[in-house]
Every structure is written in structure tokens, then in C-alpha cells.
Amino acid sequence: MQTFNAIKLAHSLLSARLSGAQCVVDATAGNGKDTLFLASSIPSNAIVWAFDIQEVALATTKKKLTAYHLEDKVHLILDSHARAADYVCELVDVAMFNLGYLPGVSHHIRTKPQSTVLALQEIVNLLSIGGLISVVAYPKYEAGQQEHHAVKEFLSGLPATHFTVGCWSMVNHTNDSPVLYVIEKGSEVREVFTSR
Ligand SMILES: C[S@@+](CC[C@H](N)C(=O)[O-])C[C@H]1O[C@@H](n2cnc3c(N)ncnc32)[C@H](O)[C@@H]1O
């Protein structure tokens, strides 16, 4: 049994920041596992904004939240995460992007490079000091590879004076195993770590 994977690692890296968070975004609600994790990890007066473009995803997410009496802590938004800034008008402390498609539904309805990068740009602009974003990309198939490439290119271009971007993947599995990125917004302009 695997004791950790990209998603479990994302949850554990975000946990400490979530305990003091006020505003949190789940950019891809899907079956609601991440939304449930976020809603159950934030203070009672904090809010999760959960986006998905599929009604079935939001219905499943709502059912999960209701089972744990957490539905009042989540705004479920049937819209693309690329329009996150139309809804979220405050600073974001934590955001999760679990890319790809909804298991059990058409694999053609999936996150796409252009809208994913737009959404990342929106959330990066809204990120609070000390805020964290996790992105799990799935380069197993061609569409996922293209999206992973676009995400990596965007994140690599974030200024190191303000953001730290880390990356994790399994090195003894195939090259196309899931890749986790974690973006942290620093407190102020700081010294950039360079090789000598
Ligand atoms: C891998 S699933 C997410 C898994 C989910 N976080 C969970 O815990 O079950 C990816 C989801 O992204 C959604 N999606 C695709 N494009 C989107 C977009 N532009 N904006 C928001 N959600 C999108 C899909 O409908 C799908 O439900």
C-alpha cells in the first residue's frame, strides 16, 4: 500500500496553512474529496470556493459536504476556474488544482492548458502573503502532457523574488506519473537563491 502520493502530499503540505485560513479555493471540485478536505481543515468562519464546469461534479461534492454538515462552509460555483476572480473578491490563503477529468464521466471534459494557466494567473494574483497553491498534473496521456508543459512553463516564470515553486514526482515509477507543484508567496522581496 502506498502511504503517500501527489494528492496526499498536497494535503499534508497545505494543512498547516489551512488552520489559519480565511478564504480557500478548490479550482476543480470533481468528486469533492479535496473540497471536503479543505472545508474540514479551515476555521469555522472561513469559506471554500469550489469550482467545476460539470453539474454532476458539484452535485456529488454537495452530497459529500452535506454528509459531514459542512455545506455551509462552501460556495459551489458552476463555472470555469478561469473566471475565479469574478467570484472571489478577497485574498486567497490556499488553493488546490487537481487537474484532469472526472473519473467515471467523459474523459473529454477535462482541464485544458489555456484555462488552467488563466486560472493559475488569477489565483496567483489573489494569493495572500504566505499563501499556498498546490497543482497536481497528470502527464500520462497526450492532453495531460500538454497541460503539464503549460503549467510548468507558467510556474517556472513566476518571479523568485516573490514566489517559491517546488515540484515533486516519483522517480522510480514511469516518467508519466502525477506531478505535484506547490507555490508559496513570500512575505516580501527577498534574496534569490542562485547556484554559484
Ligand atoms: C481530477 S477531477 C478533480 C478531482 C477532485 N478535486 C476530487 O477531489 O474529487 C478534475 C475536475 O476538473 C473539472 N474541470 C475541468 N475543466 C474545468 C474548468 N475550466 N474549471 C473548473 N473545473 C474544471 C472537471 O469537470 C473535473 O471534475
Side-chain angles (χ1 to χ4, degrees), residues 27-28 80-83 97-100 110-124 133-137 143 146-148 150-152 154-155:
T28 52
S80 171
H81 43 219
R83 282 186 283 279
F97 287 75
N98 186 357
L99 304 178
R110 50 164 305 126
T111 53
K112 306 247 164 57
Q114 200 185 358
S115 43
T116 297
V117 168
L118 265 174
L120 278 169
Q121 181 68 72
E122 300 249 295
I123 303 294
V124 160
I133 304 171
S134 70
V135 184
V136 175
Q146 288 169 4
E147 184 174 42
H148 176 228
V151 165
K152 189 175 178 186
F154 170 74
L155 296 180

Side-chain angles (χ1 to χ4, degrees), residues 11 13-26 35 37-49 73 88 90-96 126-133:
H11 286 191
L13 289 170
L14 300 178
S15 278
R17 187 76 183 93
L18 283 168
S19 59
Q22 280 305 298
C23 177
V24 163
V25 172
D26 185 349
T35 311
F37 161 72
L38 294 170
S40 58
S41 305
I42 53 175
S44 55
N45 60 344
I47 279 292
V48 181
W49 293 85
K73 292 177 85 175
V88 185
E90 53 189 314
L91 292 178
V92 171
D93 299 308
V94 172
M96 286 193 77
L126 287 169
L127 200 61
S128 63
I129 303 288
L132 296 172
I133 304 171

Side-chain angles (χ1 to χ4, degrees), residues 176-188:
D176 51 19
S177 62
V179 183
L180 166 68
Y181 292 93
V182 178
I183 302 107
E184 180 179 19
K185 185 169 179 182
S187 55
E188 53 191 56

